[in-house]
Amino acid sequence: MAARATLSPGSSLPMSSSLAGINDGVSVTLSPDAVPFSPLAPGDREEMGSVAGQFSHYASKLRSLRAGDPASLKTQLNLLFDQLISENYSPNHNIRPEEVCALLIHVTRLVPLSQEHLVVKLCQLTHHLLNQLQVIVDEQTLDVCVCYVVRALAVCSLWTHSEVLQALSTLIYGNGPRCNRHLIELLGDGGVLRLYSDPSQPDMELRRAALTCMANLCLGVPGQAFLEDPYRSVCFRVFLQTLQSPKPPDAEELLYCTVIQGAVKGLQSSLCGGKWRFGGQEELGALLAVLKRLMFQGCPGVCVEWPSVLYPTPLPQYETCSAPKPPEPPQNPPTQTSGNKKKKSRGRGRKGGGEDEEREAEPRLQRGGRGGEAWSKTSVLPSPGVPSLYPLWKRSSSDSEFSDPEGAAHSKLRLFHGRVRQGVLLCLLAVVKAVEKRTLYGYWSSFIPDAPIGGPPPLTLLTVVLKDPSPKVRACALQVVSALLDGSRQFLGVAEDLAPARTSYTPFSFSLATAVRELHRSLSLALLAEASAHTLTQIIKCLAHLVCNAPYNRLRPGLLSPLWRQIQPYLRHRDVNVRVSVLTLYGALVSTQAPLSEVQLLLTHTSQETGLSWRQREGFSSPHTPPSHKYHNSHTPRGSHTPGEEEPGVPWLLQLCVSLVTQPKDDQSDSEGPGGGGATALEPSPVRLEALQVLAHLVRGYFPLCQACLCELGQVSARCLRETDPSIQLHGAKLLEELGTGIIQQYRPDNSQSESCRVPISQVVQFWVDVLSGPLNGALQSHQHPTLQTSACDTLSSILPQAFTQLPEKSQVLCVTVLLGLTYSDNSLVKAAAVRALGVYILFPCLREDVMFVADTANAILTALDDRSPNVRSKAAWSLGNLTDTLIVNMGCVGEIFQEELSDMLVLQMLQSATKAAFDKDRVKSNAVRALGNLLHFLSVSQLTRPGFQRPLEEAVSALVTTVQSEATMKVRWNACYALGNAFRNPALPLDSASWSGDAFSALCCVVTSCQNFKVRIKSAAALSVPACRHCYGDAERFGDVWRSLAAALEHSEETQDFLEYRYCSSLRHTLTHTLTHLLRLSQSQDMPALGMSLVMEEGRGFKEHLIKYLRGEGGTDGGRRGGGGGTDGGRGGGTEGVGGTEGGRGETEGERERKGEERVRTLGETLERLRSLCVDGREEGDEGRDRGEEERSALVVVAFLEDVLRSCEELKVSHSD
């Protein structure tokens, strides 16, 4: 096994002396000089029987040797090294890393650098042990051994350097940051690695070894530091320069492939070893250009002038072939784009073209995949100008053209080229993950083609997917395409081709839409042609990423229908992973932009034969007959009727998924998986889990089509909850939650669905009675599976409030009792879900007036607000906001009785806890300030007069003021503004005399003029309009400050640096105008100087213009007169989000706007009459000084202003009627 013992011609070791001093029981040739035989002891023989024992035996012999021993030392080292190298080790062998490190340190002291053969064997031993045992050496061993090999590179002959570099690469693997002492020697100017990795280095093996060392230096180990950026940049530039350099003319192709592999691996390590920043656009473009070129390494017939740098541009890149090629006509009418108007004839000379591939795709699939017959109808090579990726070694039907050695060489070369392409694509995948998505969008046209519009087809990732002979390479290309598509929804959302195509120019949205269509076309072709199960899985996953991110509601219909039907046969593929990926794709189809009319038609009208005929089980109908009676409920109304069919049947996809979850697997379609061969064996767990997820997506997006099977789906969930697999149980609970949420969506006030199409309340009640009496109780008490408990709590929170009221009392008590108990769980996930569910229940009409339930829920929430988990505190703050919402509702419904029954101490605790939470993280703070506003609104006069409430009251208002003026997220700030306005609604608060009221008004005035976010301005302006009495605004000075702030905000309401804020301009101006008219209505004589001075200035003219629009009923929403600034908990199934009410906004008819405008004019007329009376009263009282005269003059200015406004409104009304 010591295959590398002889290192150069003529070197040999004397056999007669090789046994001197070594008594290890090995078979040797006897000689007079041999050591007498002595048998091993039984214990030693047993120890030698294992690899670990042999390693310990030889290692102990090595450790017993000392430098400076007799001449036999060299012979002993040779033999012991050979014995250690000859063994095959694995990490399973009980060999401790400490023993390996100690051995390496010792042998470096035994082998002098003058003994080059021993140095090479030592390096081989180092690589052999560390590589096979997967040992990363400690810092001391690293330092000693790296010093040794660096000195060996400086001292030993050149023929040894390849083995020395291999040992170095193994030593520094994962140890790059620990090599600080040696980095200058290795990577500094003139460093040994930079010397050997330079493109001018003639020895390709040394270049490869040096590049491998640099790649291992850059390799990052999770949990440890990465190589310093300056040295990582040096390595990156070396790798990139290596790839950019041409192949030396005298270099062997195989060795050159290994050099490229080393550089590509190094690039990948550099990009994955911590956050990477490219040195400008040129560096990224150069890297992408060289990777794109190497994607086609070794592909014959590719005659392309590759650019050295790719630049971000939506235009086609610079690739040009030496001869033009006829354009490829579209094949499928549904995917044909408007840009493909010319049709070219199918010439005979087109070999490897897209037309031939499509035509041959189905026969090729029947023959078993990518065979030579499909792509090579003749052995004649194409003209050099036509790019063809069909391999030369598959173009000939005869194997006699090459001799056996030549065939082996060609096979090896193909293998190496395939490894290069695979490594390049993995490196490109690392680039896609390391570079910001927004930056990559500019390079999409280089890797993702749009529809062919003439000329030669571009060379892109899809070319590799369609034509590369290696399934591993194709799979890697698909992974890159998936990574590009993942998270691109915002970018692809611009795509649109609903409008007719323009002839003068092509909009970017249309180009993007054609790219989406080309992705569909190419991946569809790849799906037909693929034979490898692994690559087939990647194709379907890539399609799922495309479906999840493409804006089908902005594209012409027809893309999803062919795909929907094409993937149906793969539902019975023998490979489990393929079937799972098909279900994932169906899940993406029914969840993307749901509901889509095209998908709805596919669900109801697609023939079930392909998808269900092989799943015929008891209880499922024939595809030619109506669905089974068990899926029809006479009490369940039909919804979403499609044209031509009044009552569509149950979606076939739903039936299929139910059968996959509940029925025994079809032995004809699946030969693997657990329990294979048994008649009652169910589908493999991954298939069942994915089917349950598809059911959840289907219920979420297309509930009207699924509601006919409500009870049956509930039974499926119950069956899943009874199983022992926690994953199946979890997905069964999630399906229940989706069913409950779908029912809640139907009963929302803003749902336009008619009442006859909803699930009847009686059926909803029966559904939940069955659920609550089933295995859900066991899931709620499954303490060993907290994730299942969490999902069960979410399921309880999805009960329809109207149905909860009609549940039996024992069921209601069960829900409440279990949730209250789980709020004290040790698991934070369970506790958070239980607290959130209580926050939903507190809004139920049958529970919110129950003082005992409110008190119990409040205590549970307050306990959770002090939890260590931020997630628990966030859910608790949301629930506290909902609880305080019910306090305000009960004030109006129940009256003071509820306030008196609720404990003052509990209210005080809620106020203090909410104040404390207002200084927590933003996700907690946003709902804590909402609760503070409600509590300040709820406080009664008796509570405000108690000494115990004085300080908490001041602290609560101070927390709101601080939040309004802070740099928190905008959601937190507008909730705080709304909370102050909510507090102002409490008439018991002494706004005119309290010390904190001035700070509150000042904070709102500051925000309304200076905040960059218009929604925060709207909330602050709305809050300033809440006080109903003049004395609430304080003295004339404060009133004037409020007026001037609002007038200045209105004058500058269009000034913003964020273009997205312009959509709120109308709403902001509307709210500001409303607040100013409110102040006019409340103003007194002492306020006239401030108002008059403002109205005669420039801001007065702007106010007049907006006031006329306001009086005519024009303008946007009144962002905050009604509604709340409540936050959401990020979940569904209950709770309010607090959307401001509308006033003159969306959804109003012309008559409603006119009536509203007339009411505003009447109110302003009353204000005008009141101000006129102030002027008259001032004259009757006589001149009381200069101040009184100034007030009178200012009042006249205000009166004149209002008269002018009303006159203008009347004139506009007359002109409009004419």
Side-chain angles (χ1 to χ4, degrees):
M1 292 297 294
R4 308 189 70 169
T6 302
L7 299 172
S8 62
S11 61
S12 61
L13 296 175
M15 287 298 298
S16 59
S17 61
S18 62
L19 304 176
I22 298 186
N23 182 18
D24 52 12
V26 295
S27 176
V28 297
T29 302
L30 295 179
S31 71
D33 301 325
V35 178
F37 172 77
S38 59
L40 292 174
D44 294 338
R45 189 177 295 110
E46 182 178 351
E47 183 181 2
M48 287 289 293
S50 65
V51 174
Q54 292 182 12
F55 173 83
S56 299
H57 175 72
Y58 295 127
S60 63
K61 284 185 172 293
L62 276 174
R63 286 193 296 269
S64 66
L65 299 177
R66 292 292 180 268
D69 280 356
S72 61
L73 176 62
K74 178 179 177 181
T75 303
Q76 297 178 46
L77 287 175
N78 262 305
L79 186 58
L80 289 172
F81 283 170
D82 286 344
Q83 293 288 351
L84 286 171
I85 293 173
S86 67
E87 295 292 343
N88 288 322
Y89 304 100
S90 75
N92 297 327
H93 293 145
N94 190 22
I95 300 176
R96 294 183 300 132
E98 295 82 1
E99 296 179 20
V100 177
C101 293
L103 176 64
L104 293 179
I105 291 177
H106 183 70
V107 294
T108 55
R109 296 168 180 163
L110 294 178
V111 179
L113 296 178
S114 58
Q115 300 289 333
E116 293 185 348
H117 285 79
L118 287 178
V119 170
V120 170
K121 283 195 175 183
L122 171 58
C123 292
Q124 291 175 350
L125 176 65
T126 302
H127 171 72
H128 187 70
L129 291 176
L130 299 183
N131 186 46
Q132 291 199 353
L133 293 174
Q134 298 181 13
V135 172
I136 296 180
V137 298
D138 56 42
E139 196 162 353
Q140 179 188 2
T141 307
L142 177 71
D143 189 52
V144 172
C145 293
V146 170
C147 285
Y148 183 86
V149 296
V150 169
R151 283 189 287 114
L153 289 171
V155 174
C156 296
S157 303
L158 187 62
W159 69 271
T160 65
H161 288 190
S162 177
E163 299 289 349
V164 175
L165 287 173
Q166 185 183 47
L168 176 62
S169 68
T170 313
L171 285 167
I172 62 180
Y173 181 86
N175 271 320
R178 298 181 179 177
C179 296
N180 292 328
R181 284 186 52 193
H182 312 284
L183 288 178
I184 296 180
E185 297 175 285
L186 299 175
L187 299 176
D189 294 336
V192 61
L193 294 183
R194 292 184 66 176
L195 177 66
Y196 286 143
S197 63
D198 191 88
S200 61
Q201 170 61 240
D203 193 327
M204 302 296 287
E205 180 62 28
L206 288 180
R207 280 184 67 186
R208 182 204 61 78
L211 290 169
T212 303
C213 290
M214 298 172 74
N216 289 350
L217 276 173
C218 297
L219 183 68
V221 178
Q224 297 184 12
F226 301 106
L227 185 65
E228 296 176 3
D229 286 345
Y231 292 108
R232 197 149 56 108
S233 299
V234 168
C235 295
F236 181 88
R237 288 193 295 269
V238 171
F239 299 141
L240 184 57
Q241 185 182 12
T242 301
L243 297 181
Q244 290 174 327
S245 302
K247 172 180 170 289
D250 57 342
E252 294 184 13
E253 185 68 24
L254 291 179
L255 279 177
Y256 181 65
C257 286
T258 61
V259 170
I260 295 178
Q261 283 182 269
V264 168
K265 180 181 176 183
L267 281 174
Q268 189 177 353
S269 299
S270 299
L271 295 170
C272 297
K275 192 173 182 180
W276 178 260
R277 292 183 180 180
F278 287 94
Q281 182 176 311
E282 290 280 339
E283 188 174 67
L284 175 59
L287 175 60
L288 292 175
V290 72
L291 291 179
K292 183 175 182 181
R293 171 173 62 85
L294 293 172
M295 279 177 8
F296 303 96
Q297 175 74 15
C299 295
V302 180
C303 303
V304 173
E305 298 176 4
W306 298 100
S308 59
V309 179
L310 293 180
Y311 295 98
T313 170
L315 300 176
Q317 279 299 322
Y318 312 99
E319 303 142 358
T320 56
C321 297
S322 56
K325 183 179 178 181
E328 178 185 21
Q331 291 302 297
N332 297 325
T335 60
Q336 184 175 358
T337 60
S338 58
N340 301 335
K341 295 184 178 179
K342 296 182 180 181
K343 295 185 178 180
K344 299 293 182 180
S345 62
R346 301 178 181 178
R348 300 182 192 175
R350 295 185 57 183
K351 298 176 180 61
E355 190 68 37
D356 291 335
E357 289 162 16
E358 265 191 87
R359 195 164 55 249
E360 291 287 326
E362 189 172 353
R364 188 188 325 153
L365 181 64
Q366 296 172 356
R367 286 193 296 267
R370 298 171 182 267
E373 299 178 42
W375 286 0
S376 179
K377 298 182 180 179
T378 175
S379 60
V380 179
L381 296 182
S383 60
V386 180
S388 174
L389 293 186
Y390 189 71
L392 287 172
W393 54 85
K394 286 190 177 181
R395 288 215 177 105
S396 175
S397 59
S398 172
D399 294 332
S400 62
E401 296 182 16
F402 300 107
S403 62
D404 290 341
E406 290 176 335
H410 277 80
S411 298
K412 190 172 183 181
L413 184 59
R414 288 198 303 269
L415 176 65
F416 274 61
H417 281 154
R419 288 176 178 174
V420 168
R421 296 195 300 274
Q422 183 179 355
V424 167
L425 288 167
L426 290 175
C427 182
L428 182 58
L429 179 63
V431 174
V432 171
K433 292 181 178 180
V435 178
E436 187 181 2
K437 289 286 185 183
R438 188 177 302 179
T439 304
L440 278 177
Y441 293 151
Y443 298 95
W444 264 52
S445 58
S446 299
F447 297 95
I448 303 293
D450 55 12
I453 55 176
L459 298 177
T460 63
L461 284 168
L462 296 182
T463 313
V464 180
V465 171
L466 287 170
K467 299 188 176 183
D468 197 285
S470 169
K472 291 183 179 180
V473 175
R474 297 195 297 270
C476 290
L478 288 162
Q479 289 180 15
V480 179
V481 177
S482 297
L484 286 170
L485 291 171
D486 188 25
S488 63
R489 183 175 304 172
Q490 185 177 4
F491 173 65
L492 291 180
V494 181
E496 183 177 12
D497 64 355
L498 294 174
R502 302 183 181 183
T503 56
S504 57
Y505 72 97
T506 303
F508 176 68
S509 59
F510 187 81
S511 299
L512 212 52
T514 56
V516 172
R517 293 186 176 277
E518 180 65 9
L519 278 166
H520 267 277
R521 189 190 73 86
S522 300
L523 292 175
S524 177
L525 285 175
L527 192 63
L528 284 173
E530 191 54 61
S532 166
H534 174 68
T535 310
L536 189 62
T537 303
Q538 294 298 327
I539 294 173
I540 300 173
K541 287 182 178 180
C542 189
L543 281 166
H545 280 100
L546 175 61
V547 169
C548 287
N549 291 279
Y552 295 100
N553 53 352
R554 296 167 57 92
L555 303 175
R556 285 182 287 109
L559 281 176
L560 298 179
S561 300
L563 175 61
W564 184 283
R565 297 184 180 95
Q566 186 182 6
I567 62 175
Q568 281 183 340
Y570 295 97
L571 285 168
R572 60 180 307 182
H573 198 279
R574 298 182 66 86
D575 189 271
V576 173
N577 294 323
V578 173
R579 299 206 302 276
V580 171
S581 62
V582 171
L583 289 172
T584 302
L585 179 52
Y586 272 121
L589 286 166
V590 297
S591 62
T592 180
Q593 294 118 40
L596 285 174
S597 58
E598 184 178 1
V599 174
Q600 189 167 349
L601 290 173
L602 290 168
L603 285 169
T604 55
H605 287 195
T606 300
S607 172
Q608 302 174 18
E609 184 173 358
T610 304
L612 285 179
S613 61
W614 59 280
R615 295 293 313 175
Q616 294 307 317
R617 305 285 190 228
E618 181 182 354
F620 279 90
S621 63
S622 166
H624 306 292
T625 59
S628 172
H629 179 72
K630 66 182 275 190
Y631 283 97
H632 291 274
N633 191 312
S634 58
H635 302 289
T636 304
R638 298 291 181 182
S640 301
H641 295 167
T642 54
E645 186 177 14
E646 288 300 320
E647 281 200 9
V650 177
W652 71 268
L653 184 60
L654 185 147
Q655 300 181 47
L656 172 69
C657 291
V658 169
S659 70
L660 289 173
V661 174
T662 61
Q663 302 296 333
K665 72 178 181 180
D666 191 341
D667 292 334
Q668 295 179 355
S669 66
D670 191 328
S671 61
E672 60 261 3
T680 60
L682 296 174
E683 290 283 349
S685 181
V687 175
R688 302 181 68 209
L689 290 174
E690 202 63 39
L692 284 169
Q693 292 194 54
V694 174
L695 283 175
H697 292 314
L698 191 59
V699 169
R700 183 186 305 141
Y702 300 88
F703 184 77
L705 297 178
C706 305
Q707 66 185 51
C709 311
L710 179 64
C711 293
E712 288 75 17
L713 290 175
Q715 294 170 8
V716 171
S717 299
R719 171 172 177 161
C720 293
L721 287 171
R722 290 190 184 97
E723 296 194 19
T724 57
D725 186 347
S727 300
I728 298 291
Q729 292 177 313
L730 176 64
H731 283 79
K734 288 185 179 296
L735 178 57
L736 274 179
E737 181 189 357
E738 292 295 343
L739 290 169
T741 303
I743 297 172
I744 291 176
Q745 297 292 339
Q746 282 192 335
Y747 279 85
R748 285 191 182 277
D750 56 352
N751 193 320
S752 59
Q753 193 175 18
S754 63
E755 187 173 352
S756 61
C757 295
R758 300 174 180 173
V759 181
I761 288 291
S762 59
Q763 187 179 353
V764 178
V765 173
Q766 185 60 45
F767 170 78
W768 283 112
V769 168
D770 295 341
V771 168
L772 294 175
S773 60
L776 184 63
N777 296 332
L780 288 166
Q781 301 173 21
S782 179
H783 301 290
Q784 66 273 24
H785 301 300
T787 308
L788 178 60
Q789 278 187 294
T790 301
S791 184
C793 290
D794 293 337
T795 301
L796 288 184
S797 69
S798 64
I799 300 178
L800 182 70
Q802 296 91 317
F804 187 88
T805 305
Q806 300 183 27
L807 287 177
E809 184 178 358
K810 64 176 183 179
S811 298
Q812 296 184 12
V813 172
L814 170 68
C815 295
V816 172
T817 304
V818 169
L819 291 176
L820 285 172
L822 290 178
T823 57
Y824 298 96
S825 170
D826 294 333
N827 187 276
S828 60
L829 292 176
V830 178
K831 184 184 297 186
V835 169
R836 179 193 170 274
L838 288 175
V840 174
Y841 278 24
I842 200 66
L843 299 173
F844 288 1
C846 62
L847 294 177
R848 69 187 180 203
E849 297 178 6
D850 186 341
V851 177
M852 294 301 297
F853 173 72
V854 172
D856 291 342
T857 302
N859 287 321
I861 291 172
L862 294 179
T863 302
L865 268 178
D866 290 330
D867 196 84
R868 293 179 298 174
S869 169
N871 185 45
V872 174
R873 297 199 304 273
S874 174
K875 302 297 183 183
W878 180 81
S879 297
L880 182 61
N882 285 1
L883 187 148
T884 54
D885 284 342
T886 64
L887 299 183
I888 304 303
V889 173
N890 289 338
M891 284 177 61
C893 298
V894 184
E896 296 181 358
I897 299 177
F898 184 85
Q899 286 180 285
E900 294 173 357
E901 291 181 351
L902 195 63
S903 167
D904 289 349
M905 183 59 65
L906 181 59
V907 174
L908 181 60
Q909 289 177 354
M910 286 192 288
L911 186 66
Q912 293 173 332
S913 296
T915 303
K916 178 182 177 182
F919 295 96
D920 206 329
K921 298 179 181 293
D922 281 357
R923 56 190 297 197
V924 180
K925 187 184 303 182
S926 61
N927 287 295
V929 295
R930 177 165 69 104
L932 278 179
N934 286 328
L935 289 169
L936 292 175
H937 185 186
F938 181 77
L939 293 176
S940 62
V941 177
S942 61
Q943 291 169 336
L944 290 173
T945 55
R946 293 184 181 180
F949 277 85
Q950 296 302 315
R951 185 173 181 81
L953 173 63
E954 295 176 359
E955 292 175 348
V957 177
S958 176
L960 291 178
V961 171
T962 302
T963 305
V964 168
Q965 296 176 327
S966 68
E967 296 297 327
T969 58
M970 296 308 164
K971 177 181 177 180
V972 173
R973 296 182 70 184
W974 78 57
N975 274 7
C977 291
Y978 174 80
L980 282 176
N982 201 3
F984 290 168
R985 289 185 171 87
N986 189 347
L989 286 179
L991 293 180
D992 54 340
S993 60
S995 58
W996 45 261
S997 61
D999 295 335
F1001 280 104
S1002 298
L1004 292 173
C1005 291
C1006 178
V1007 168
V1008 81
T1009 57
S1010 62
C1011 185
Q1012 296 295 323
N1013 186 277
F1014 278 14
K1015 293 178 73 174
V1016 176
R1017 291 197 197 184
I1018 292 170
K1019 293 295 182 184
S1020 59
L1024 289 172
S1025 69
V1026 170
C1029 302
R1030 168 61 188 85
H1031 68 85
C1032 295
Y1033 288 94
D1035 55 17
E1037 181 180 358
R1038 184 190 297 172
F1039 188 91
D1041 291 340
V1042 174
W1043 175 274
R1044 284 187 292 270
S1045 298
L1046 292 167
L1050 184 61
E1051 182 182 7
H1052 303 289
S1053 59
E1054 295 185 0
E1055 298 177 4
T1056 178
Q1057 297 177 353
D1058 189 352
F1059 179 77
L1060 295 177
E1061 296 298 326
Y1062 279 109
R1063 55 183 168 172
Y1064 302 114
C1065 274
S1066 177
S1067 178
L1068 174 60
R1069 290 193 293 267
H1070 182 90
T1071 307
L1072 290 168
T1073 306
H1074 166 77
T1075 306
L1076 287 169
T1077 56
H1078 176 73
L1079 293 179
L1080 277 173
R1081 185 171 61 85
L1082 298 180
S1083 60
Q1084 299 295 331
S1085 58
Q1086 67 269 23
D1087 306 319
M1088 292 300 108
L1091 272 61
M1093 183 179 298
S1094 174
L1095 293 177
V1096 298
M1097 298 175 66
E1098 182 66 27
E1099 59 190 26
R1101 287 189 287 274
F1103 175 47
K1104 175 183 175 181
E1105 176 186 349
H1106 295 300
L1107 181 57
I1108 293 173
K1109 293 181 179 179
Y1110 173 78
L1111 295 175
R1112 296 187 62 206
E1114 301 175 6
T1117 60
D1118 179 9
R1121 288 194 65 197
R1122 294 190 298 271
T1128 63
D1129 72 326
R1132 297 176 297 135
T1136 58
E1137 190 175 347
V1139 180
T1142 62
E1143 187 161 324
R1146 294 170 291 179
E1148 292 183 344
T1149 64
E1150 185 68 26
E1152 291 174 342
R1153 285 196 295 270
E1154 289 183 359
R1155 286 192 297 272
K1156 192 168 291 185
E1158 291 173 357
E1159 178 66 23
R1160 292 169 181 169
V1161 170
R1162 186 184 61 79
T1163 303
L1164 190 65
E1166 295 174 355
T1167 301
L1168 176 60
E1169 292 301 323
R1170 186 180 62 81
L1171 293 178
R1172 283 173 178 168
S1173 65
L1174 287 178
C1175 296
V1176 174
D1177 293 343
R1179 295 192 190 97
E1180 292 177 353
E1181 293 174 6
D1183 188 6
E1184 298 181 3
R1186 186 175 60 183
D1187 293 341
R1188 190 63 180 175
E1190 183 179 355
E1191 291 177 1
E1192 182 179 347
R1193 289 190 299 272
S1194 299
L1196 291 174
V1197 171
V1198 177
V1199 168
F1201 174 83
L1202 295 180
E1203 290 174 344
D1204 189 20
V1205 169
L1206 292 174
R1207 190 182 310 112
S1208 299
C1209 289
E1210 189 65 28
E1211 291 174 356
L1212 289 173
K1213 183 178 181 181
V1214 172
S1215 63
H1216 182 70
S1217 61
D1218 292 343

